[in-house]
């Protein structure tokens, strides 16, 4: 999930950047819509093979993340014909399915012998299914992503720091296995002098305007015991969203923010986190896995200086991570659905998926990620694989925007602004979400 709430609500507009693979437009050119980021550049390169094989030209409409949801949700809601294919956020799947924006792919998958069993299960549920956990498919898993952590392996390996840390905490300084250990490391590095520079413990998500603090807080709350609803009674949230364990999780997130983040971290999300890590400010960095290839290549903090670890365990041993990523869908308003489906079939091919990973995309195909050579293919490959095995996701309901707006406000007011208690925030969230579902006629 990487979107912007205010954009999803249609409060801004954007001018998209577009590019094309084919040199000359013709009747069968397809336009693929996505966010403007490094994986999109990799997809442009990958798609040249599709044009060579089929003669179908590819054009791309890429919009910055800050305008991504606004631009393309408006396009879908207006039944526009700009996008033949769209790589839509995981949270859009419910609304896109119920409002008829996406072509249902079941018959096509059956005809082309494309099996969802061939993809990482969490990505099928997260990117393709609506209703969830039913065999109704509206997208092919396209870009796996998950919140994980990078750390300064070069700092962690300094003998003098290892010695001091062991004496203070009684365990060897290394990637944390639990959130308590993560906080100890963050406290240890907070305002410490490393290589002649003052550094800080951790960069975490606190951004208010779109979805940042929700993604960060949930990344902790899941492992503390938070549940969205009663597993036996959908939309019953009292005692699950605001359970005692969930309260402890939100208290931990605030404590981590208060003790161990760098100055000016009150509105930080993906870009700010990357900047904090690349500039040498922080020992640890929460962010989606899509950032890892670029960080690995960075001359200042990459290579042997960077390490990766899976989101830690909570106090009871539970371990989950916030799902990101997207699926690729055929837009129902396109006049070129047949050609768009050819692209879906091509993209599902094992060799194409293997090249997608090699170019910097994150394949969701089991044949790629379960290949014995995969863990050694990149320094972060095993961490990505382990992280995708423990994912949970935010509501994918058609009304996800107001659901997200509520959590953004409640979490930011408590964690960053210091208003009320964690229990107050989660009790308020239950009320907010209950109202949304009542308005939808689901309660």
């Amino acid at each position: 999930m990487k979107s912007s709430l205010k954009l999803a609500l249609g409060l801004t507009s954007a001018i998209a950047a577009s590019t094309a693979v084919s040199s000359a437009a013709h009747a069968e050119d397809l336009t693929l819509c996505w966010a403007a980021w490094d994986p999109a550049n990799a997809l442009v390169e990958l798609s040249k093979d599709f044009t060579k094989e089929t003669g179908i030209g590819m054009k791309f409409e890429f919009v910055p993340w800050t305008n991504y949801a606004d631009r393309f949700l408006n396009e879908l809601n207006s039944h526009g014909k700009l996008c033949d294919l769209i790589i839509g956020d995981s949270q859009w799947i419910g609304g896109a399915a119920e409002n008829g924006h996406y072509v249902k792919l079941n018959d096509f998958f059956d005809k082309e012998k494309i099996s969802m069993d061939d993809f990482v299960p969490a990505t099928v549920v997260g990117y393709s299914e609506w209703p969830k956990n039913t065999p109704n498919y509206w997208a092919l898993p396209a870009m796996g992503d998950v919140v994980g952590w990078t750390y300064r392996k070069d700092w962690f390996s300094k003998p003098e720091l290892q010695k001091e840390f062991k004496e203070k905490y009684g365990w060897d300084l290394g990637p944390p296995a639990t959130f308590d250990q993560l906080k100890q490391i963050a406290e240890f590095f907070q305002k410490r002098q490393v290589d002649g520079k003052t550094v800080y413990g951790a960069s975490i998500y606190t951004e208010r305007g779109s979805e940042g603090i929700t993604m960060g807080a949930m990344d902790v709350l899941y492992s503390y015991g938070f549940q969205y609803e009663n597993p036996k009674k959908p939309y019953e949230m009292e005692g699950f969203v605001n359970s005692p364990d969930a309260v402890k999780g939100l208290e931990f997130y605030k404590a981590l923010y208060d003790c161990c983040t760098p100055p000016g971290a009150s509105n930080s999300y993906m870009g700010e986190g990357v900047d904090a890590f690349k500039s040498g400010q922080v020992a640890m960095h929460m962010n989606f896995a899509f950032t890892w290839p670029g960080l690995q290549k960075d001359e200042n903090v990459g290579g042997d200086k960077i390490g990766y670890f899976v989101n830690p365990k909570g106090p009871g041993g539970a371990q989950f991570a916030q799902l990101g990523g997207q699926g690729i869908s055929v837009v129902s308003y396109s006049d070129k659905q047949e050609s768009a489906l050819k692209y879906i079939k091509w993209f599902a091919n094992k060799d194409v998926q293997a090249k997608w990973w090699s170019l910097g995309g994150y394949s969701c195909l089991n044949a790629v990620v379960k290949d014995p050579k995969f863990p050694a293919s990149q320094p972060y490959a095993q961490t990505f694989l382990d992280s995708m095995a423990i994912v949970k996701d935010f509501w994918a309901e058609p009304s996800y925007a107001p659901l997200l707006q509520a959590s953004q406000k409640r979490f930011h007011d408590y964690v960053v602004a210091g208003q009320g208690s964690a229990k107050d925030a989660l009790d308020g969230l239950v009320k907010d979400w209950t109202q949304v579902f009542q308005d939808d006629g689901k309660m």
Side-chain angles (χ1 to χ4, degrees), residues 154-363:
D154 55 338
W155 297 356
F156 279 45
S157 64
K158 288 180 179 291
E160 68 276 17
L161 296 183
Q162 290 182 332
K163 181 176 182 295
E164 182 182 346
F165 185 87
K166 182 68 173 288
E167 291 174 350
K168 184 172 183 179
Y169 295 106
W171 58 282
D172 293 329
L173 178 59
T178 68
F179 278 115
D180 283 344
Q181 289 182 344
L182 185 145
K183 188 169 181 284
Q184 289 175 4
I185 295 171
E187 289 171 338
F188 179 75
F189 278 103
Q190 185 72 1
K191 297 184 180 180
R192 176 174 291 274
Q193 290 289 313
V194 178
D195 298 332
K197 180 180 178 180
T198 302
V199 304
Y200 302 89
S203 170
I204 63 174
Y205 291 161
T206 58
E207 180 260 2
R208 169 68 178 87
S210 62
E211 65 176 15
I213 197 167
T214 297
M215 296 295 95
M218 289 302 186
D219 206 45
V220 171
L221 287 171
Y222 294 143
S223 297
Y224 269 77
F226 171 99
Q227 295 186 69
Y228 284 103
E229 57 191 344
N230 183 343
K232 299 179 180 179
K233 188 175 181 181
Y235 307 112
E236 181 180 89
M237 293 167 284
E238 182 65 39
F240 295 89
V241 168
N242 57 349
S243 69
D245 288 338
V247 169
K248 291 178 183 177
L250 191 56
E251 289 173 342
F252 174 90
Y253 199 73
K254 177 172 175 54
L256 186 62
Y257 169 74
D258 288 341
C259 79
C260 306
T261 53
S266 62
N267 196 41
S268 178
Y269 196 22
M270 296 178 285
E272 291 80 8
V274 167
D275 290 344
F277 192 81
K278 289 177 69 173
S279 64
Q281 288 189 68
V282 293
M284 298 179 292
H285 163 222
M286 164 192 279
N287 220 330
F288 284 102
F290 84 88
T291 63
W292 297 349
L295 291 173
Q296 180 65 37
K297 296 175 183 176
D298 188 85
E299 293 182 359
N300 296 320
V301 301
D304 294 337
K305 296 179 180 179
I306 190 173
Y308 308 87
F309 63 89
V310 180
N311 203 44
K313 296 178 182 178
Q319 187 175 25
F320 298 99
Q322 174 61 50
L323 180 69
Q326 304 89 31
I328 183 170
S329 301
V330 175
V331 178
S332 63
Y333 314 116
S334 168
D335 295 326
K336 304 170 186 176
Q337 292 183 21
E338 184 176 351
S339 293
L341 289 169
K342 288 181 180 178
Y343 188 93
I344 298 286
K345 179 182 178 181
W346 169 83
F347 189 72
N349 180 271
K350 177 184 176 181
D351 292 339
V352 174
Q353 286 291 303
K355 187 172 182 179
W356 175 225
W357 167 252
S358 71
L359 289 172
Y362 279 79
S363 175

Side-chain angles (χ1 to χ4, degrees), residues 250-251 254 410 413-415 417-426:
L250 191 56
E251 289 173 342
K254 177 172 175 54
R410 295 292 184 180
D413 284 353
Y414 168 66
V415 172
Q419 298 177 13
S421 67
K423 182 69 161 55
D424 293 336
L426 293 175

Side-chain angles (χ1 to χ4, degrees), residues 98-116:
E98 292 193 7
N99 293 315
H101 298 329
Y102 293 170
V103 173
K104 190 175 183 180
L105 297 174
N106 287 59
D107 291 344
F108 171 73
F109 285 165
D110 290 343
K111 176 184 175 183
E112 300 297 340
K113 295 181 172 55
I114 297 172
S115 174
M116 289 294 96

